[in-house]
Amino acid sequence: QVQLVDSGGGLVQTGDSLRLSCAASGDTYRGRAMGWFRQAPGKEREFVVGISISGSGIIGTTYYADSVKGRFTISRDNAKNTVYLQMDSLKPEDTAVYYCAVRLRGPYGPFIRTPDVDYWGQGTQVTVSS
């Protein structure tokens, strides 16, 4: 059993920064990837960023959606079993509920498809005003 607790959202202005945290409890050490999805009102949940958490030669590799490349950075503190999402140069179109996710099975690598998510965080709201 794995539990994910995400936090760090808030209301900011265009160009500001936020850092989201996702603290995992339980056995994720043999999992494949952790990452963040987001869902804006009226839109489908989309995969934004991921990090590979196991696999020789591939652990720590990352994936970024084109919409956030160069602005968002994912990192992981293994000792704390926590993943962070540093979001810089925020835009109004980044407004969404952000969900932490973990994929425990399948191929090694940072990418996570929605059907392959094993556990979700509860979500944290990010609102960027113009």
Side-chain angles (χ1 to χ4, degrees):
Q1 188 76 10
V2 173
Q3 287 189 323
L4 304 176
V5 178
D6 28 2
S7 62
L11 172 62
V12 297
Q13 295 184 331
T14 297
D16 285 350
S17 298
L18 277 176
R19 190 176 82 153
L20 306 184
S21 299
C22 174
S25 60
D27 185 9
T28 61
Y29 294 101
R30 286 173 290 182
R32 297 296 187 257
M34 293 182 69
W36 296 88
F37 288 71
R38 67 184 181 187
Q39 187 167 21
K43 295 188 177 181
E44 292 188 356
R45 192 171 297 190
E46 62 172 347
F47 180 52
V48 177
V49 58
I51 187 167
S52 178
I53 60 175
S54 64
S56 177
I58 200 169
I59 187 170
T61 57
T62 56
Y63 167 89
Y64 295 94
D66 288 343
S67 57
V68 305
K69 277 181 184 177
R71 301 187 299 120
F72 289 14
T73 304
I74 188 170
S75 61
R76 186 179 184 222
D77 185 329
N78 292 331
K80 296 182 178 180
N81 206 9
T82 298
V83 172
Y84 302 98
L85 180 60
Q86 178 67 40
M87 305 186 295
D88 298 321
S89 303
L90 282 162
K91 305 175 181 180
E93 51 264 44
D94 294 319
T95 295
V97 179
Y98 284 70
Y99 297 91
C100 181
V102 63
R103 173 171 63 85
L104 300 178
R105 297 160 294 176
Y108 293 102
F111 193 80
I112 306 175
R113 298 187 312 128
T114 303
D116 296 333
V117 172
D118 289 292
Y119 294 96
W120 294 97
Q122 81 282 6
T124 184
Q125 176 71 47
V126 172
T127 303
V128 185
S129 64
S130 57

